[in-house]
Amino acid sequence: MRKPFIAGNWKMNTNSATAVALASGLVKELDSVDTVDVSVCPPFVYLQSVAAALSASNIALGAQDVFYESNGAFTGEISCEMLKDCSCSYVILGHSERRHIIGETDELINKKVKAAISGGLLPIFCVGELLEERDAGKTMEVVESQIRKGLDGLCKERVQAVTIAYEPVWAIGTGRTATPQQAQEVHAMIRGLLETLFDKNVAQAMRIQYGGSAKPSNTAELMVQPDVDGLLVGGASLKVADFSQMVKTVA
Ligand code: PEP
């Protein structure tokens, strides 16, 4: 049985005061929840203050990206060791905003996924198609290719550190959520692919989150789908009431 996993991606939002207030509010609301894994991913610069606000809670800390080298002349980058030093457990990799705005490639994301696992972090590895790719009937092909390339070179043991987040790009931050059936269809394909690439036990053990305008009102219908194991939440994770309601709905 896969434990549900809800993660909040704060993106480039909050400041030093509101980040701590958001984390502290979630600790108060969610402290008794232990049937759902919960994580929040603030901007790098607030990781340490949010870590302090989360200490002694069940809420894990995650980052929004990491570089694949461990130290050296890589101006502006952050290593796995640095994230571990700031108490991070998770790291979001391959988010569509990094693929499509920053220009990250499947090859770069694959290096980051491997480095994160070697560095003791748990990657939340994002995949998802653009609207024109869905309209052209290419959703499965695009997502399959992203997964094959992103997980390339991983063995059965190491890949189990990964949570996959299926995030149709047309649903991210747009208010337009995939229907539960659209989500389930892609999640089932992903699980089948994991079985082909690894084995049945690995495919059954790995968690696949849905992301894309998830909110309190659509949490239940998405989460009852058999292959939807959690949510990666953007906008709704910035409000204590919304994010905690989503976690409680799942719990
Ligand atoms: C995300 O940032 O991963 C995301 C899914 O955003 P939103 O929930 O705002 O669509």
Side-chain angles (χ1 to χ4, degrees):
M1 191 61 187
R2 297 177 294 272
K3 188 175 182 184
F5 176 26
I6 311 291
N9 174 12
W10 295 2
K11 311 195 189 193
M12 198 171 70
N13 293 299
T14 68
N15 60 32
S16 52
T18 58
V20 169
L22 179 51
S24 307
L26 292 173
V27 169
K28 231 185 248 169
E29 284 293 325
L30 299 178
D31 224 25
S32 58
V33 174
D34 59 4
T35 53
V36 180
D37 284 339
V38 180
S39 172
V40 293
C41 305
F44 287 133
V45 289
Y46 305 131
L47 284 172
Q48 283 182 302
S49 46
V50 169
L54 298 179
S55 67
S57 82
N58 288 331
I59 303 176
L61 188 63
Q64 298 175 21
D65 187 29
V66 76
F67 196 54
Y68 57 81
E69 292 287 356
S70 56
N71 65 284
F74 302 103
T75 302
E77 296 296 343
I78 301 283
S79 71
C80 296
E81 288 76 358
M82 292 170 185
L83 294 185
K84 294 283 287 181
D85 196 28
C86 293
S87 310
C88 283
S89 309
Y90 293 95
V91 61
I92 298 172
L93 293 173
H95 191 278
S96 73
E97 287 147 19
R98 297 206 62 84
R99 289 178 187 267
H100 300 296
I101 301 173
I102 315 289
E104 290 199 4
T105 62
D106 289 310
E107 291 66 32
L108 175 62
I109 295 161
N110 176 246
K111 280 185 174 183
K112 292 183 175 190
V113 169
K114 290 196 277 200
I117 297 170
S118 300
L121 291 165
L122 301 168
I124 300 173
F125 165 51
C126 306
V127 295
E129 80 287 2
L130 297 164
L131 183 58
E132 56 263 36
E133 292 166 335
R134 174 160 285 265
D135 289 345
K138 291 189 171 157
T139 297
M140 300 302 186
E141 188 188 317
V142 168
V143 172
E144 175 170 343
S145 165
Q146 289 171 336
I147 290 180
R148 283 183 181 273
K149 290 174 180 166
L151 301 183
D152 186 45
L154 290 176
C155 64
K156 282 185 211 172
E157 288 69 33
R158 277 160 58 82
V159 77
Q160 294 186 60
V162 177
T163 296
I164 293 177
Y166 168 58
E167 301 204 299
V169 180
W170 47 271
I172 298 179
T174 59
R176 185 180 160 190
T177 318
T179 65
Q181 292 68 32
Q182 285 172 322
Q184 169 57 26
E185 200 181 27
V186 180
H187 283 228
M189 180 281 287
I190 294 172
R191 205 173 303 285
L193 178 59
L194 293 173
E195 185 170 335
T196 305
L197 294 175
F198 302 99
D199 67 23
K200 196 174 173 68
N201 290 339
V202 169
Q204 287 306 316
M206 282 180 66
R207 295 187 288 197
I208 308 172
Q209 295 175 320
Y210 166 80
S213 299
K215 48 188 176 263
S217 60
N218 56 30
T219 293
E221 62 183 22
L222 287 162
M223 288 298 300
V224 294
Q225 300 304 312
D227 290 297
V228 177
D229 307 313
L231 301 169
L232 180 54
V233 186
S237 74
L238 295 169
K239 293 186 192 132
V240 172
D242 284 359
F243 192 67
S244 53
Q245 192 184 331
M246 293 170 82
V247 173
K248 286 175 189 172
T249 298
V250 175

